[in-house]
Amino acid sequence: MDKDRSSVEIAGRRTVCIFVVLAVFVASLCISNGALGQNRDSVSGSRAVEATGKSEATPSEGKPESSLTLEPARSVYTNAQPLHKHYFRTGLETAAFLAIAASYYYGTLEDRHWYEYTIPKGSFEARFETGDAYRLDNNDWDSNVGHIAAGTGYYLLARTNDLSLAESFLVTAGASTFWEMFGELRDEFSINDAIMTPIGGFAIGEPMFQLGEFFQHSAPSIPNRALGFLFGPSAAIHRWLDNTTPKAPESVDKYCLTTDAWHRFRVFAGGGGNYSPDADEFRSEAQMGFDFEVITAEKFGKPGEASINYLDGVFNELSFQAALDGGTLVDLRFFSKTAFLGHYEQCISMDKESQTLRGSSLFVGLSSAFEYYNHSFIGMRREDRQAICDLVGPTLIADFYRCGLHVRATAELYPSFSMVTPTAGALYDETHNILHARSVYRFESYYYALGATAGGRVEMEYGPFGLDGRVRYHYFDSIDGLDRFEDSRVTDDIEFQDQRLGLQLTLFYALPIENFKLGLSAEKIYRWSDIDTMAWSGDETRFFGNVVFEF
């Protein structure tokens, strides 16, 4: 009875804390929207122009021409409002976000099996004097993925308060570091969280922000409002508080989407199968997903010349796909990528006779990506899982137009920091003693890795036909010597190396029904897993037919 009463009291305290912090969060929005929030910097929301990178709304007389201006991607929208940087509101909202996390953290301490420090003094000494607090944690998989979601929240709060990409990333990194340094005082400083929270938050947050901006700058239809809130919830709330909701754009398509920025949205569903030559088994699967892209280079896909430098996310992609075998999830993939801080050039004209585009465009810059991968190989008892933060690397995106043919080629290369479940882990555990292995593997069956990612993509469109070829390679190498219990319990620091190569080719054909296509795809997955002296390799071949709605 006492135990039950204690549990009820703990739950009650947590509930009260969360409601109090939520009240503070709402109050911060209202206060910062009033007199305290009126002291802010203004940045022009005018549009970027080709060749010089100047604003159409700013007189150019007396100013030297220059293409070195870093234009905000949001300036592509003709109905964009002037930017107002709400630093104070960003601080209040971030503090409220951290307070909610703290209320949950300290409200659940009694439920935890262990923590490093019983008093703040020992925690501060380990952080600021000895340096012993800096470790890779052994949290469960979902908790660490949750940190990436928190990073996305930090980033969107800052970004939708009109802070720049760089400022928003600094807010995200600062909030994450503050939380690890001063929030979780009873635990070690988690190196993996300090890396994956800001990088993953940025790689997901910037495409979400750009998608939210696209829908919120489109016509105010119910679907656009819903999608605008889904991808940019904080932006929608801020605009409602500030009474700055954009007016209807000058030009829209039949779906009431703005034509100021290029977009391609695909939603698909279908079925197919998966064949494993190692197990000599076939598995039927149902597949569904979406692939959303928004490009905010002002002239992209239109006639005209341009030479502009961009800081914001210019090429943005957010995709999701899942496959089911009966009622069992056998494949889940989430991918987010933004290409930013680069130079965009184009020289495109319209052929008068054929009314088709002719010319080319090129973007050279940096990009960052996040990928969540969960796949069940036929015959394997443990899921193949990776959460991959592709940090920052060079990217090249080239488009060519001629006689109705459109070709796009993309190449990218990244260093990466990842969470990896080795495919051969279950086989290794059956024949080896892992009692003294690193704790994150012993308890949670995954490890942290440094590595590299290389990717490429070629797309072609001609008349009703389309072709999409993709290749993506990952290399993972375990990080040794930084386990949470490295100095006390780890005596067998097992080395892990994993690789994954994915090849995919999809053929599209436009159906007689407008905006519907048939997609036929073939995919090959190669997987290698090395644990100490044990090696495993396998591959699978997947085929799918999907009905694609493209708008």
Side-chain angles (χ1 to χ4, degrees):
M1 181 68 69
D2 292 338
K3 184 177 179 180
D4 293 340
R5 184 181 298 114
S6 177
S7 299
V8 172
E9 290 175 355
I10 292 171
R13 289 199 300 270
R14 292 179 200 158
T15 304
V16 170
C17 288
I18 290 174
F19 274 108
V20 168
V21 174
L22 284 173
V24 172
F25 182 77
V26 173
S28 70
L29 289 175
C30 298
I31 293 172
S32 59
N33 189 53
L36 293 176
Q38 299 304 315
N39 186 15
R40 57 207 183 191
D41 296 327
S42 296
V43 178
S44 173
S46 56
R47 305 179 66 199
V49 295
E50 65 274 17
T52 65
K54 292 179 181 178
S55 165
E56 290 178 348
T58 303
S60 60
E61 290 78 13
K63 295 184 179 180
E65 292 190 358
S66 171
S67 63
L68 297 180
T69 303
L70 289 172
E71 295 291 350
R74 194 187 309 184
S75 64
V76 69
Y77 300 110
T78 54
N79 56 340
Q81 298 278 356
L83 305 183
H84 299 287
K85 297 192 177 187
H86 297 259
Y87 292 110
F88 179 74
R89 185 163 68 187
T90 301
L92 280 178
E93 292 173 348
T94 304
F97 201 113
L98 290 168
I100 294 172
S103 69
Y104 177 80
Y105 174 77
Y106 287 101
T108 58
L109 275 179
E110 297 181 32
D111 299 339
R112 302 177 59 189
H113 297 294
W114 67 77
Y115 38 80
E116 274 74 14
Y117 309 105
T118 57
I119 58 175
K121 181 180 179 182
S123 179
F124 284 121
E125 287 178 352
R127 281 164 162 74
F128 297 104
E129 295 182 16
T130 66
D132 293 336
Y134 298 91
R135 299 287 181 176
L136 296 170
D137 69 35
N138 58 5
N139 292 348
D140 65 88
W141 180 275
D142 292 339
S143 293
N144 277 336
V145 172
H147 278 272
I148 298 170
T152 304
Y154 295 138
Y155 185 85
L156 286 174
L157 283 179
R159 199 73 169 94
T160 56
N161 271 310
D162 285 348
L163 272 63
S164 69
L165 178 148
E167 291 170 329
S168 300
F169 177 78
L170 289 175
V171 168
T172 307
S176 174
T177 303
F178 181 88
W179 173 253
E180 293 298 328
M181 190 67 74
F182 302 105
E184 295 180 314
L185 285 176
R186 302 293 291 272
D187 290 285
E188 81 291 338
F189 181 102
S190 178
I191 298 173
N192 49 283
D193 289 341
I195 296 173
M196 299 189 80
T197 301
I199 296 295
F202 164 67
I204 299 172
E206 182 65 16
M208 283 189 65
F209 169 75
Q210 295 296 348
L211 282 165
E213 290 299 286
F214 177 86
F215 288 113
Q216 291 179 33
H217 284 88
S218 295
S221 65
I222 293 177
N224 287 341
R225 288 185 182 275
L227 289 169
F229 185 84
L230 176 66
F231 291 108
S234 52
I237 294 172
H238 289 155
R239 286 185 170 126
W240 175 71
L241 289 171
D242 298 335
N243 195 26
T244 57
T245 301
K247 297 179 180 179
E250 295 178 359
S251 175
V252 297
D253 62 16
K254 65 179 180 179
Y255 294 106
C256 298
L257 299 172
T258 179
T259 60
D260 291 333
W262 185 94
H263 74 278
R264 183 175 62 196
F265 302 145
R266 288 173 174 164
V267 180
F268 58 88
N274 187 2
Y275 175 72
S276 168
D278 298 316
D280 193 23
E281 291 184 24
F282 178 85
R283 180 174 68 200
S284 60
E285 299 176 6
Q287 189 182 61
M288 65 198 74
F290 67 82
D291 188 355
F292 284 7
E293 294 180 75
V294 166
I295 299 175
T296 56
E298 183 179 1
K299 293 292 185 180
F300 182 84
K302 304 174 183 177
E305 297 185 3
S307 179
I308 308 175
N309 292 321
Y310 285 101
L311 172 61
D312 290 1
V314 185
F315 290 78
N316 306 279
E317 180 181 358
L318 199 67
S319 63
F320 169 85
Q321 70 177 51
L324 300 172
D325 175 19
T328 303
L329 183 68
V330 293
D331 186 85
L332 177 67
R333 307 182 193 188
F334 171 83
F335 180 75
S336 182
K337 173 192 169 185
T338 183
F340 63 101
L341 190 58
H343 183 72
Y344 177 75
E345 289 268 1
Q346 85 165 49
C347 182
I348 299 174
S349 60
M350 178 71 75
D351 186 274
K352 295 182 180 179
E353 294 183 2
S354 63
Q355 290 296 299
T356 58
L357 297 178
R358 182 187 183 96
S360 63
S361 65
L362 176 67
F363 177 85
V364 179
L366 300 177
S367 63
S368 185
F370 174 79
E371 181 179 355
Y372 185 93
Y373 175 87
N374 190 331
H375 180 75
S376 296
F377 278 90
I378 297 175
M380 301 298 288
R381 292 185 297 278
R382 185 173 293 172
E383 294 177 328
D384 185 26
R385 296 186 302 179
Q386 295 122 41
I388 307 165
C389 281
D390 292 323
L391 305 179
V392 177
T395 189
L396 181 148
I397 304 170
D399 285 78
F400 305 90
Y401 305 86
R402 188 177 181 87
C403 300
L405 175 66
H406 176 204
V407 179
R408 180 186 301 169
T410 303
E412 56 206 14
L413 180 66
Y414 309 96
S416 64
F417 185 97
S418 308
M419 297 159 51
V420 182
T421 298
T423 314
L427 300 175
Y428 182 86
D429 296 353
E430 289 180 352
T431 56
H432 295 77
N433 184 359
I434 63 170
L435 182 62
H436 299 290
R438 66 191 69 194
S439 63
V440 68
Y441 181 73
R442 186 167 77 250
F443 299 142
E444 303 297 335
S445 302
Y446 71 91
Y447 68 92
Y448 298 104
L450 293 175
T453 297
R457 182 177 180 182
V458 176
E459 300 175 81
M460 291 184 287
E461 291 182 332
Y462 185 77
F465 296 99
L467 196 65
D468 187 349
R470 309 186 189 199
V471 57
R472 196 164 180 84
Y473 170 77
H474 300 280
Y475 172 77
F476 311 103
D477 191 13
S478 61
I479 303 172
D480 305 325
L482 289 173
D483 187 79
R484 184 174 191 171
F485 298 132
E486 189 72 32
D487 301 329
S488 57
R489 305 182 191 179
V490 178
T491 58
D492 184 16
D493 213 355
I494 303 170
E495 293 185 4
F496 299 86
Q497 284 188 348
D498 282 83
Q499 300 175 72
R500 174 165 62 91
L501 173 64
L503 306 171
Q504 185 174 357
L505 184 65
T506 304
L507 174 65
F508 294 101
Y509 178 75
L511 297 173
I513 305 173
E514 191 174 11
N515 292 102
F516 280 89
K517 294 183 177 182
L518 175 65
L520 302 175
S521 66
E523 179 185 9
K524 191 73 175 179
I525 305 172
Y526 295 95
R527 193 70 170 82
W528 300 270
S529 185
D530 296 323
I531 306 177
D532 274 351
T533 58
M534 177 182 173
W536 176 90
S537 63
D539 66 273
E540 288 186 345
T541 305
R542 310 175 77 211
F543 298 94
F544 289 96
N546 287 303
V547 175
V548 183
F549 177 60
E550 183 175 308
F551 62 102

